[in-house]
Amino acid sequence: VVVEAKNITLPAGSTAVLPCHSPRMVWTRDRLKDRQRVVHWDLVRSSPEYSTERILDMSPGGRQRVYNSFNKGRISIPDSAFNDGNFSLVLNNVGAADKGVYTCNLHHHYCQIHQSIQIQLNVTKSARKERRYWDGEKTVFVVLLGSSVALPCVNRRPLWREGLLEDQQQVAHWDFQAPGVRPDKADRLVDLYASGERRDYGPLFGQKMSVAEDAFTLGDFSLSISDVKPQHKGLYSCNLHHHYCGLQERRIFRLTVGPALPSSPPTAPRILQNDGPELKTGAEENPRVVTVILPDHRGYFVQHLGYFLATFLLLAFFVVALIVLIRRHKKRGMDYELRSYDRRAGVSEGETCLDCIELKTCNQEPLNSGYKNNLLKERGMAKDCNVGESCSGSVPLRPAGCR
């Protein structure tokens, strides 16, 4: 992470000091590591009134301390906790008073790291009810009365282990990038280790360049350049690495060399101090500090995902509203056409019924008249047949139509 960037212009032949300070890179403070790393267990009881009680704490250089005399010899954590990262709390002869929420707190004050793990302990008198489950927020242990239980608190990160080469955990190095040279081709000037070891590279870093011997004691890794020449023009970067705490910082300085000062003035050029705003050289530019903050990738992704979902839901709402309006309009048109059709159909049916009644009335008279004429004709023919039989004697003569 680039935490600082400055442009500095100096006359040739002057002395430059490129400041590079970091209070966090002070090795002497980490020598108190026995007090910097602490683990402690707390118990929150539901009664009376959710009281909190400190049960036990421990640091790498000291013995574990039990606060309640009743718990001495009954609860403990492994002595190798800071070596293997296992800070589990062991309780023997569990009683009803042990019920509550236990919290395992891990603190590294030097690296400003704080972690907490919560576990709820319940006590039962039935062996069949013993179990372990997750309630959505923490792990719940249901333990048989009078038995023993180990509440887990494990952290395998190297931060909580004893380092074998702790003198090499803090490293500072200066790089020089000449104009026109790619960053990956930059020259290494010097490597500094907290143990006091120093490695110089190339002809640039020598009598004209130096870093204080007590850099890790004061946290001051400033690079001093005496008798500045045009070949010193370029990009300088101070890189601070704390592998133990995971710290990575970078400071960039662009050095520009101007013409030499005239020899007539009696006053010598002033030496740049560590404080940027107080520099009063003639050709020096105002320092510009650029702080680069890397965003949290999860929050950045969630924020843009929310914008996308909101836009998509708004668009879907407009599409659904448009479809509903179109369907209502079509339904109203169909209802209007059906009513018009029903009106026209009702008039034609009435006319058809009237025609049918008139046809039935007209057809009744021909049917009845034909029926009457047939009866009269049959009666007349019967009379003629009777008359013929009486007149003819033995051979009856029947007119046509007689039976």
Side-chain angles (χ1 to χ4, degrees):
V1 179
V2 179
V3 297
E4 187 177 2
K6 288 184 178 180
N7 293 330
I8 299 177
T9 302
L10 295 173
S14 62
T15 302
V17 177
L18 307 183
C20 182
H21 303 275
S22 178
R24 297 179 63 183
M25 296 285 290
V26 178
W27 180 252
T28 54
R29 293 176 59 183
D30 197 51
R31 291 176 183 173
L32 303 177
K33 60 183 180 182
D34 293 345
R35 300 179 182 177
Q36 296 295 335
R37 293 185 294 166
V38 179
V39 55
H40 63 86
W41 279 88
D42 297 336
L43 171 61
V44 179
R45 305 180 189 273
S46 58
S47 61
E49 298 179 356
Y50 295 95
S51 59
T52 303
E53 177 185 355
R54 175 67 54 85
I55 298 177
L56 178 146
D57 62 16
M58 181 180 177
S59 59
R63 300 175 58 185
Q64 50 186 287
R65 177 172 49 180
V66 180
Y67 285 83
N68 193 341
S69 59
F70 174 74
N71 293 327
K72 289 184 178 181
R74 197 176 68 92
I75 66 173
S76 63
I77 61 176
D79 294 333
S80 60
F82 288 95
N83 294 331
D84 55 14
N86 185 7
F87 304 92
S88 301
L89 180 67
V90 180
L91 293 89
N92 298 317
N93 192 16
V94 177
D98 296 327
K99 181 180 179 181
V101 178
Y102 291 77
T103 305
C104 175
N105 301 276
L106 303 175
H107 301 282
H108 197 302
H109 302 292
Y110 179 62
C111 298
Q112 299 181 357
I113 295 179
H114 307 279
Q115 298 177 358
S116 297
I117 301 174
Q118 285 189 345
I119 299 174
Q120 181 175 345
L121 177 63
N122 296 333
V123 182
T124 181
K125 296 181 180 180
S126 175
R128 294 179 299 176
K129 295 183 179 180
E130 282 190 299
R131 59 173 179 156
R132 174 182 176 181
Y133 64 93
W134 176 261
D135 66 349
E137 296 180 356
K138 56 187 176 300
T139 304
V140 179
F141 283 78
V142 181
V143 182
L144 182 64
L145 183 66
S147 62
S148 299
V149 64
L151 304 182
C153 179
V154 180
N155 192 322
R156 303 295 184 186
R157 297 179 58 186
L159 176 65
W160 297 98
R161 302 179 185 177
E162 294 287 350
L164 299 178
L165 300 175
E166 294 186 356
D167 290 345
Q168 298 181 7
Q169 294 293 336
Q170 293 188 102
V171 181
H173 63 85
W174 278 89
D175 295 337
F176 172 69
Q177 181 182 349
V181 178
R182 296 185 305 177
D184 57 343
K185 299 296 183 180
D187 296 327
R188 178 65 54 87
L189 297 177
V190 61
D191 282 336
L192 305 173
Y193 297 91
S195 61
E197 182 182 357
R198 178 182 302 231
R199 299 177 183 176
D200 303 341
Y201 300 92
L204 289 178
F205 193 89
Q207 297 179 354
K208 294 185 177 181
M209 294 186 182
S210 62
V211 179
E213 296 290 339
D214 55 352
F216 284 97
T217 302
L218 304 177
D220 186 358
F221 308 90
S222 302
L223 177 66
S224 299
I225 306 175
S226 60
D227 192 13
V228 177
K229 300 295 182 182
Q231 58 267 26
H232 293 153
K233 177 182 178 181
L235 199 67
Y236 293 81
S237 60
C238 175
N239 300 271
L240 303 179
H241 304 276
H242 198 308
H243 304 291
Y244 188 65
C245 295
L247 174 66
Q248 307 287 337
E249 294 182 357
R250 186 184 184 193
R251 293 165 174 81
I252 301 176
F253 304 92
R254 185 178 297 277
L255 179 62
T256 304
V257 180
L261 293 177
S263 57
S264 55
T267 58
R270 296 184 59 185
I271 299 176
L272 292 176
Q273 302 298 326
N274 293 342
D275 235 348
E278 296 180 358
L279 300 178
K280 299 296 183 179
T281 56
E284 179 186 358
E285 299 178 0
N286 292 328
R288 292 179 293 177
V289 179
V290 179
T291 302
V292 180
I293 301 176
L294 297 180
D296 189 0
H297 295 284
R298 294 182 179 176
Y300 186 76
F301 172 77
V302 171
Q303 182 180 6
H304 281 265
L305 181 60
Y307 293 155
F308 174 78
L309 291 178
T311 305
F312 177 79
L313 291 177
L314 184 62
L315 181 61
F317 174 78
F318 282 117
V319 172
V320 172
L322 182 61
I323 293 174
V324 171
L325 291 176
I326 293 174
R327 288 187 175 181
R328 287 186 177 179
H329 180 72
K330 290 183 177 180
K331 186 176 181 181
R332 290 179 180 176
M334 292 176 65
D335 293 342
Y336 176 79
E337 292 178 1
L338 289 175
R339 287 196 297 268
S340 302
Y341 178 78
D342 291 339
R343 291 174 183 174
R344 294 193 298 269
V347 174
S348 60
E349 288 176 2
E351 294 175 354
T352 305
C353 294
L354 292 176
D355 295 338
C356 293
I357 294 172
E358 292 177 359
L359 289 173
K360 290 180 181 180
T361 305
C362 297
N363 292 337
Q364 285 178 359
E365 293 181 359
L367 292 174
N368 295 335
S369 60
Y371 177 73
K372 293 180 180 180
N373 292 334
N374 291 335
L375 291 177
L376 294 175
K377 186 182 294 185
E378 289 179 357
R379 289 179 182 177
M381 292 175 66
K383 289 180 180 181
D384 293 339
C385 291
N386 293 333
V387 172
E389 288 179 0
S390 61
C391 295
S392 60
S394 60
V395 181
L397 298 175
R398 295 183 181 181
C402 294
R403 296 179 183 176

